[in-house]
C-alpha cells in the first residue's frame, strides 16, 4: 500500500460501464472531438499500436513516429465554465474502451478540492498520485511492454497548479507542484506505462508555461452554438408540448443577444433551465410547453464568461 494513496482520488472508475455510456450518449455536438481525442489518447499513451501501424505501412518504425511518441501524453482541456471539459475528460475512457476493447481506468484528482495547506502538500499529493497509479499499472503490464489497458489521470480544476502565483510565498511551491507533475508523467513514460494525463482549466494562461509547452493536445472548449443548443433542447424536451419551432425559438433566445455578448452554456441549459421548466410545469400541474419555458427563461440568465465572473 502506497503511503497516503487512500483517499487520493474521488472515485476510481473502470470502463467500459453502462453509466458512462449513458453519459456519452447524452452529449451533443462533440462526437467528432471525442472520437479524435480517444484515438489520440491511445496513440500517445500506448505507442505500441502506432509502431505496429508504421511497420505495417512503411515496413519499419519511421523516425517521424518517434518524433510523435516523444510528445508527453498530456492533454489540456481549457475553456469557459459549463462547456463540457470535465464531462468529456470523465467519459473519454468509455469511448476508448468501447472503440479499442482496452480496459480503461480513470483516476480523478481534484487539486482545488484538496486545498493548499502546508508547504510541500501539492508535491506530496502529486507524487503520491503517480506512485499509486504506477503501482497499479506495473502489475498490469505484459512482459513484451505492450498493453491492453489504459489509465487516465484526470487533474480537474488544474488552475490550482499555478493559481496562487500572485502570492509570492507560494511561488516556490507552485513550481514544485508543476515539476512533480512533469516528473510523474516522464517517469510513467520511461516505465512504459500507458497512462494519459488530462488537466482541465478555465484559464489556459493560469497553467504553467512548462506544462503547456509539453501538452500533446490543447483543446479549447466553446459554449454551444445555435445548432448544439437546439439539439440538446430537443433531446431534453422530447415527448413534451414543445414543437420543433418552439425548440428553435428557444435555441435562438438562449444565444448571445444585444447587450449580452454571451449565450447559455451546456450546463445553463441542462442543469438550470430545463430542470426549472420541469419544476414550473409541475407546480402549475400543466404540460411543459413554450409558454412555461419562456416564463422560466426570464429568471434563469446564462452564466457570465469566466473572465467576467465575480
Ligand atoms: N456537449 C454537451 N452536451 C450535453 N450536455 C453537456 C455538454 N457539455 C456539457 N454538458 C452538461 O453540462 C454540465 C457541465 O459540464 P462540465 O462539468 O463538463 O463543464 P466544465 O467545462 O467542466 O465546467 P467548469 O469549468 O465549471 O468545471 C455537464 O454535467 C453536462 O451535463
Ligand atoms: Mg469542470
Amino acid at each position: 500500500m502506497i503511503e497516503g494513496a487512500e483517499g487520493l482520488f474521488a472515485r476510481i472508475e473502470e470502463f467500459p460501464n453502462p453509466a458512462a455510456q449513458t453519459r456519452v450518449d447524452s452529449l451533443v455536438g462533440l462526437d467528432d472531438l471525442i472520437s479524435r481525442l480517444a484515438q489520440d489518447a491511445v496513440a500517445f499513451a500506448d505507442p505500441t499500436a502506432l509502431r505496429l501501424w508504421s511497420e505495417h505501412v512503411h515496413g519499419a518504425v519511421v523516425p517521424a513516429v518517434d518524433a510523435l511518441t516523444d510528445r508527453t501524453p498530456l492533454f489540456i482541456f481549457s475553456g469557459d465554465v459549463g462547456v463540457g471539459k470535465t464531462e468529456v475528460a470523465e467519459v473519454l475512457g468509455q469511448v476508448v474502451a468501447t472503440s479499442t476493447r482496452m480496459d480503461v481506468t480513470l483516476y480523478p484528482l481534484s487539486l482545488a478540492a484538496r486545498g493548499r495547506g502546508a508547504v510541500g502538500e501539492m508535491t506530496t499529493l502529486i507524487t503520491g498520485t503517480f506512485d499509486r497509479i504506477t503501482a497499479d499499472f506495473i502489475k498490469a503490464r505484459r512482459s513484451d511492454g505492450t498493453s491492453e489497458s489504459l489509465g487516465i489521470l484526470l487533474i480537474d480544476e488544474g488552475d490550482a497548479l499555478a493559481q496562487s502565483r500572485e502570492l509570492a510565498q507560494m511561488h516556490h511551491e507552485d513550481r514544485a507542484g508543476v515539476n512533480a507533475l512533469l516528473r510523474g508523467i516522464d517517469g510513467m513514460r520511461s516505465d512504459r506505462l500507458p497512462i494519459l494525463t488530462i488537466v482541465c482549466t478555465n484559464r489556459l494562461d493560469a497553467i504553467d508555461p512548462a506544462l503547456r509547452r509539453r501538452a500533446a493536445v490543447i483543446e479549447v472548449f466553446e459554449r454551444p452554438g445555435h445548432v448544439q443548443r437546439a439539439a440538446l433542447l430537443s433531446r431534453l424536451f422530447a415527448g413534451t408540448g414543445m414543437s420543433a419551432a418552439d425548440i428553435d425559438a428557444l435555441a435562438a433566445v438562449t444565444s448571445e443577444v444585444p447587450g449580452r455578448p454571451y449565450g447559455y452554456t451546456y450546463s445553463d441549459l441542462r442543469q438550470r433551465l430545463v430542470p426549472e421548466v420541469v419544476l414550473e410545469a409541475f407546480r402549475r400541474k400543466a404540460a411543459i410547453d413554450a409558454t412555461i419555458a419562456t416564463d422560466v427563461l426570464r429568471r434563469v440568465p446564462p452564466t457570465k464568461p469566466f473572465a467576467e465572473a465575480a
Side-chain angles (χ1 to χ4, degrees):
M1 185 73 221
I2 306 289
E3 184 74 19
E6 280 298 291
L8 266 178
F9 307 104
R11 77 203 138 66
I12 293 174
E13 184 172 351
E14 311 269 356
F15 303 104
N17 74 69
Q21 190 57 45
T22 305
R23 288 172 73 187
V24 172
D25 294 340
S26 75
L27 292 175
V28 306
L30 297 176
D31 292 357
D32 292 347
L33 173 67
I34 292 179
S35 67
R36 171 164 60 76
L37 289 172
Q39 278 186 302
D40 290 358
V42 175
F44 285 114
D46 183 13
T48 316
L50 212 58
R51 298 209 176 91
L52 289 174
W53 157 81
S54 181
E55 279 166 7
H56 180 68
V57 296
H58 297 298
V61 178
V62 294
V65 167
D66 290 330
L68 177 67
T69 54
D70 281 348
R71 297 305 312 265
T72 306
L74 166 69
F75 290 4
I76 296 178
F77 292 175
S78 133
D80 213 345
V81 294
V83 290
K85 302 180 297 296
T86 301
E87 195 70 10
V88 169
E90 288 185 350
V91 302
L92 192 60
Q94 173 70 13
V95 179
V96 172
T98 50
S99 59
T100 64
R101 295 166 167 269
M102 282 175 140
D103 293 323
V104 186
T105 310
L106 174 70
Y107 298 85
L109 183 77
S110 175
L111 296 179
R114 305 195 57 95
R116 311 177 40 99
V119 169
E121 186 192 12
M122 183 77 91
T123 311
T124 309
L125 172 66
I126 291 174
T127 308
T129 301
F130 281 101
D131 287 350
R132 163 64 202 273
I133 299 179
T134 302
D136 279 6
F137 271 78
I138 286 224
K139 276 181 279 163
R141 190 180 54 183
R142 294 192 308 223
S143 56
D144 62 357
T146 63
S147 165
E148 279 177 344
S149 46
L150 174 74
I152 299 178
L153 168 62
L154 169 58
I155 300 182
D156 210 349
E157 326 270 323
D159 313 40
L161 275 173
Q163 205 172 42
S164 26
R165 281 206 149 180
E166 301 90 63
L167 304 173
Q169 73 272 27
M170 293 306 247
H171 187 93
H172 170 72
E173 175 59 6
D174 283 336
R175 284 292 330 167
V178 170
N179 289 342
L181 182 59
L182 292 174
R183 219 170 29 242
I185 295 172
D186 288 344
M188 295 192 305
R189 166 53 54 103
S190 55
D191 287 341
R192 292 191 299 166
L193 302 181
I195 318 253
L196 170 73
T197 302
I198 304 178
V199 174
C200 295
T201 178
N202 291 125
R203 296 172 50 204
L204 198 51
D205 61 2
I207 295 292
D208 192 281
L211 199 60
R212 245 182 303 161
R213 217 170 29 240
R214 303 284 276 278
V217 171
I218 294 181
E219 199 61 50
V220 180
F221 286 65
E222 306 282 354
R223 290 188 182 217
H226 183 98
V227 173
Q228 287 103 321
R229 286 192 303 274
L232 181 60
L233 290 168
S234 79
R235 186 174 295 190
L236 293 170
F237 284 130
T240 70
M242 301 279 286
S243 68
D246 294 335
I247 296 284
D248 197 62
L250 192 54
V253 291
T254 49
S255 99
E256 61 265 30
V257 293
R260 191 193 71 209
Y262 49 88
Y264 285 63
T265 67
Y266 284 110
S267 62
D268 288 338
L269 298 175
R270 190 165 167 182
Q271 297 179 322
R272 294 173 62 229
L273 180 64
V274 172
E276 271 296 318
V277 169
V278 172
L279 209 54
E280 184 60 30
F282 180 68
R283 285 185 200 118
R284 295 186 195 181
K285 305 271 177 283
I288 292 168
D289 64 13
T291 311
I292 293 179
T294 309
D295 289 349
V296 168
L297 192 68
R298 272 187 223 115
R299 58 172 196 261
V300 183
T303 310
K304 284 186 176 169
F306 186 78
E308 291 177 34

